[in-house]
Amino acid sequence: MSLVEARNLVKRYTADGPKAVDNVSFEIRDGEIFSLLGPNGAGKTTTISMLSTLIRPTAGTALVNGYDIRTEPMAVRRSIGVVPQDLALYGKLSGRENLRFWGEMRGLGGPALWEEIDEKLALMDLTDRAGDRAETYSGGMKRRLNLAIGMLGNPPLMMLDEPTVGIDPQSRRHILDYVRELNRAGAGTLYTTHYMEEAQELSDRIGIIDRGTLIALGTLQELTQMVGEHEMLRLQLYQPEAGQALVDGVRGLEGMHQASAADGEVVLSVAAVETTLPQVLTKAADLGLSIRNVEIREPNLETVFLHLTGRALRD
Amino acid sequence: MVRNEFRQEFVSPVSVFFFLILPLLFTAAVAAGLGGLSENGERPEEFRAELYVESRDEGPLVVAFLQALQEANLTVQVVEALPEDTFGLEVPADFSARLRRGEHVTVLLHTLPARSASQAVEQYVNAAAGRLAGAVRIAQSGQSRAQDAGIAVGAEEDSAFFDDVLRRTLEATQNPPAVAEVRWPEAVELAGTPGTGATGVEQASAGQMVTWVQITLLGAAQVLVDERERGTLRRLLVTPATRATILGGKLLARMCLGLVQIALLLGGGALIFGVKWGEQPLATALVSVAFAIATVGLGLLIATFVRTRGQANSVVVGGAMALAALGGAWYPLEVTPLVYRQAVRVLPSTWAMRAYTDLLARGATVADVLPYAGILLGFGVVFTAIGMWRFQAYE
């Protein structure tokens, strides 16, 4: 059975405004980790908001665990766990009290809830601080508590909206491990992120979303095959502000497929590194630019995104 | 959800200060200030000003005038010379003679503008003078008709006839056989009759309670913004609870907080200031619940308009203060013009204050306060319905 069948979802926030999500369709299979990968503002949160029944689609619909998000929102909510992008905790309540409140809001209660709270606190390494106010927790601990709340009731489908934004690498590592653990326990997962590495590491299948449109969908292997034989060159300049000038300079070079500049880096998709790289270095020298670092990568999701949109994922 | 709200509200001891202690301190301060309005804590209707009268006339009409003054709620003291800093009245030597002849006569009233009772004393003296003048006119008219009919002959009989008609007229006007009962267009207008208000401490206790509880109840406006800014509203909205349940829980929690505060402030008012809040417990509870519903509903309505915590804070505190001030929580509405009293009927705080002061000053029963409670509930239903409708569309 499919956990999610999204059919032509469209969302406009105002009647004559742009489409935040435009005709998005995909499926999440039982026990699968499905990632929606895209830059900020691509429509990931809007998609997850529609699927979790927080907002109504302008057009299209979806079945979540077999329930229609338009006509059976309560059944959908009972069958999912949501971890929102922003921390959704009561800072003045302790970690345990937070879990109790949210558990009760999900209709849980009694000894079963108490047991589950203890279990989740242990799973998230929060047992020692369970009685402390959540506002005194570190950022990583708050993220873990946020995740634990979403897991209450062990729903068959978890929706995680960029759960690792703004946290340290160690906490991120923890959260990715928990997501995998959840998946091993049988829960399907819809995971949104703008970190390519997370999507690559976690996902069974990946949907790439940009400007509200799902532009690619498949396994990592299927997606990278879209790029063909292209490889990715990543250059760091000593003059980060001059990235766009270099991009403009190398666009016409032989074997150059895509070029993009972002965050002081120039990302190039090329047919053959051995022939194109010397030309790029020469062009940089002609422009008076100094190369600090060159990285050659096998095709990955960033290459795919660059290939499909002409922009880097972080643009 | 209610337990959650209570836990968050009282997580700091400072909350108790704003919830209970500060309102009681303000009650004490305002009661002291309003003491001047009600003369040492007596009700306005019990108030009798002392009036010193220096009369150079000892005629019968002066005696009748003094009697009329006495009956007009003034304690009259006849003196040789008017003392300083008192309400004083000078009666000229020819007072009786001129009045008897139907001529215009002037008495001189010395008032004390700094005293709040000045206006009342002036009204009482005018009322007594008017009553006497009317009685004299009637007696003269009767005497004239009697003379025409040949009933009374001779100066002595004429005078006796005049005195008899005057006495009977004054008695009749003191206890008139027909009394006009003034009623406002609405049946619920029990208050508003000058001179039947609450004492200073009663006004302060009711007024400060309404003021501070309004801040708590209108705090419903902050609840949604807090949830939104904390990020918990989105999470709440994807739990298997309807929006009505979520909102109902939030509002119920706020209402419970308000009712607990009302109970504490009523108890504090009774124990510390001796205000007789306990005489009509059912009626008081009815008014309080209706007041809480109306004000929480208004808070919900505001919540759907404000977008930030700063906006919500400003509107809640400013709104509560404005509603309290306009609705008569800071001073008795009886001292305001009629048009003002009619205008502020659109505010729930006005009806709450009327109900609470009626409970205290007139011992209003459940039946008496039902109209007030009905109006407050009406406010609550309208505010809540509009607020719910707007909240359903929230994304």
Side-chain angles (χ1 to χ4, degrees):
Chain A
M1 187 188 84
S2 295
L3 294 175
V4 173
E5 284 178 54
R7 299 169 190 159
N8 309 109
L9 286 173
V10 176
K11 181 63 186 178
R12 286 181 198 271
Y13 284 100
T14 53
D16 52 353
K19 289 177 181 171
V21 167
D22 186 6
N23 209 32
V24 166
S25 299
F26 61 89
E27 179 193 12
I28 302 178
R29 297 164 193 154
D30 204 6
E32 178 180 58
I33 298 181
F34 180 90
S35 290
L36 264 184
L37 173 70
N40 291 328
K44 303 186 295 291
T45 299
T46 300
T47 302
I48 222 169
S49 297
M50 286 189 283
L51 293 176
S52 61
T53 74
L54 180 65
I55 58 175
R56 285 176 70 81
T58 308
T61 190
L63 294 181
V64 175
N65 290 310
Y67 304 110
D68 193 308
I69 58 169
R70 284 181 175 275
T71 57
E72 301 166 286
M74 284 300 152
V76 171
R77 290 175 200 173
R78 271 189 287 272
S79 70
I80 59 172
V82 180
V83 180
Q85 182 175 349
D86 298 320
L87 289 169
L89 309 167
Y90 292 103
K92 295 192 186 310
L93 301 187
S94 69
R96 188 181 293 280
E97 286 168 339
N98 265 289
L99 285 163
R100 180 184 173 188
F101 172 75
W102 291 108
E104 287 173 347
M105 287 304 294
R106 281 191 64 84
L108 307 173
L113 176 60
W114 292 114
E115 273 177 36
E116 194 182 344
I117 288 172
D118 287 338
E119 176 202 315
K120 294 289 185 285
L121 286 167
L123 179 68
M124 295 292 164
D125 294 327
L126 291 171
T127 305
D128 292 346
R129 300 285 307 276
D132 296 345
R133 278 193 214 165
E135 66 190 5
T136 65
Y137 288 6
S138 68
M141 290 169 75
K142 286 177 184 168
R143 280 279 166 200
R144 272 147 42 207
L145 180 59
N146 201 37
L147 182 57
I149 290 169
M151 292 159 62
L152 284 167
N154 300 315
L157 175 64
M158 291 288 296
M159 297 186 183
L160 284 75
D161 191 10
E162 307 217 38
T164 60
V165 167
I167 57 171
D168 59 276
Q170 193 185 355
S171 294
R172 174 185 289 189
R173 183 77 265 144
H174 274 128
I175 286 179
L176 295 179
D177 289 345
Y178 297 137
V179 172
R180 246 197 306 268
E181 189 126 342
L182 266 174
N183 183 243
R184 272 197 290 272
T189 305
L190 169 58
Y191 190 97
T192 74
T193 182
H194 64 269
Y195 296 124
M196 174 200 68
E197 301 84 357
E198 289 183 4
Q200 283 191 173
E201 180 185 333
L202 282 177
S203 315
D204 296 311
R205 289 190 311 131
I206 299 156
I208 299 179
I209 188 167
D210 184 47
R211 294 175 181 171
T213 306
L214 196 64
I215 56 174
L217 179 66
T219 62
L220 178 62
Q221 193 182 4
E222 287 166 349
L223 290 172
T224 50
Q225 278 172 357
M226 292 172 69
V227 186
E229 297 302 314
H230 290 116
E231 290 172 292
M232 193 174 78
L233 270 176
R234 187 188 289 270
L235 291 88
Q236 281 185 323
L237 302 175
Y238 277 106
Q239 301 88 359
E241 71 285 352
Q244 190 57 46
L246 181 59
V247 166
D248 294 340
V250 301
R251 265 217 171 102
L253 295 179
E254 189 187 344
M256 181 65 62
H257 181 64
Q258 294 281 7
S260 171
D263 296 344
E265 286 186 347
V266 173
V267 182
L268 308 173
S269 173
V270 298
V273 170
E274 62 276 15
T275 56
T276 311
L277 181 57
Q279 297 178 66
V280 171
L281 296 177
T282 305
K283 182 59 78 175
D286 291 348
L287 291 168
L289 303 175
S290 307
I291 308 290
R292 188 176 183 175
N293 185 39
V294 177
E295 194 180 342
I296 302 167
R297 284 194 176 178
E298 293 292 309
N300 61 17
L301 289 174
E302 188 149 18
T303 328
V304 175
F305 192 83
L306 185 66
H307 172 76
L308 293 171
T309 67
R311 289 178 290 113
L313 198 50
R314 277 170 282 180
D315 275 1
Chain B
M1 198 172 274
V2 174
R3 187 184 59 228
N4 190 25
E5 290 293 316
F6 269 75
R7 274 181 181 277
Q8 293 192 77
E9 186 74 22
F10 295 110
V11 75
S12 157
V14 178
S15 312
V16 179
F17 179 74
F18 284 102
F19 197 77
L20 178 64
I21 298 171
L22 200 57
L24 289 175
L25 290 175
F26 266 76
T27 303
V30 174
L34 288 176
L37 279 179
S38 57
E39 301 292 332
N40 301 324
E42 290 177 357
R43 291 188 194 292
E45 72 268 27
E46 293 162 358
F47 157 68
R48 290 182 71 87
E50 204 157 53
L51 178 69
Y52 291 90
V53 178
E54 180 191 325
S55 178
R56 295 184 179 82
D57 182 11
E58 292 178 353
L61 290 182
V62 169
V63 175
F65 186 35
L66 294 178
Q67 179 68 27
L69 288 168
Q70 195 77 32
E71 288 165 359
N73 252 11
L74 292 165
T75 301
V76 176
Q77 299 249 24
V78 180
V79 292
E80 291 296 318
L82 293 177
E84 293 287 318
D85 293 330
T86 57
F87 294 108
L89 188 68
E90 287 183 46
V91 181
D94 57 354
F95 180 84
S96 295
R98 294 183 64 153
L99 208 53
R100 184 76 171 76
R101 289 197 296 273
E103 293 174 9
H104 186 79
V105 63
T106 301
V107 293
L108 187 60
L109 175 66
H110 299 266
T111 63
L112 301 167
R115 292 275 300 274
S116 57
S118 281
Q119 204 176 355
V121 170
E122 190 182 330
Q123 284 176 359
Y124 294 155
V125 171
N126 272 328
R131 190 169 151 229
L132 178 67
V136 167
R137 283 281 167 84
I138 290 166
Q140 283 170 334
S141 179
Q143 187 184 31
S144 171
R145 290 291 298 142
Q147 282 170 346
D148 290 348
I151 295 170
V153 287
E156 201 173 308
E157 284 158 323
D158 271 356
S159 178
F161 186 88
F162 177 90
D163 291 343
D164 187 47
V165 175
L166 182 71
R167 181 181 54 76
R168 285 166 186 258
T169 307
L170 285 171
E171 277 175 9
T173 52
Q174 175 63 17
N175 297 301
V179 178
E181 187 179 343
V182 177
R183 290 203 178 204
W184 297 92
E186 286 82 0
V188 293
E189 182 79 33
L190 299 178
T193 318
T196 55
T199 66
V201 75
E202 287 170 351
Q203 167 73 25
S205 182
Q208 289 305 304
M209 196 241 314
V210 165
T211 303
W212 292 90
V213 171
Q214 269 188 155
I215 295 176
T216 300
L217 292 170
L218 281 184
Q222 289 163 307
V223 168
L224 287 183
V225 175
D226 280 349
E227 296 282 357
R228 194 156 45 206
E229 292 198 356
R230 204 188 282 125
T232 42
L233 186 58
R234 293 175 75 87
R235 179 166 251 167
L236 277 172
L237 293 177
V238 295
T239 60
T242 62
R243 290 189 176 211
T245 305
I246 293 166
L247 209 51
K250 291 277 167 201
L251 297 186
L252 180 65
R254 220 7 73 175
M255 225 179 84
C256 289
L257 273 172
L259 290 172
V260 167
Q261 191 178 23
I262 288 174
L264 290 172
L265 293 179
L266 293 184
L271 291 172
I272 301 169
F273 305 110
V275 179
K276 293 175 181 169
W277 279 117
E279 292 190 346
Q280 293 290 341
L282 269 181
T284 308
L286 179 64
V287 171
S288 300
V289 170
F291 171 50
I293 289 172
T295 315
V296 160
L298 181 57
L300 165 65
L301 185 56
I302 295 168
T304 61
F305 286 96
V306 293
R307 306 309 297 174
T308 66
R309 196 172 292 175
Q311 281 178 1
N313 286 344
S314 307
V315 174
V316 166
V317 176
M321 294 293 169
L323 284 173
L326 293 171
W330 293 0
Y331 46 81
L333 281 182
E334 285 82 354
V335 303
T336 62
L338 179 62
V339 65
Y340 177 93
R341 292 204 297 270
Q342 287 174 332
V344 296
R345 285 177 192 177
V346 297
L347 308 176
S349 52
T350 305
W351 299 100
M353 274 309 295
R354 285 184 177 181
Y356 282 125
T357 48
D358 270 9
L359 282 164
L360 288 172
R362 283 171 280 281
T365 61
V366 170
D368 294 330
V369 299
L370 266 179
Y372 296 113
I375 288 173
L376 286 167
L377 284 173
F379 274 118
V381 168
V382 171
F383 292 150
T384 307
I386 300 173
M388 290 285 263
W389 171 69
R390 285 182 55 82
F391 182 64
Q392 290 298 332
Y394 172 83
E395 286 197 348

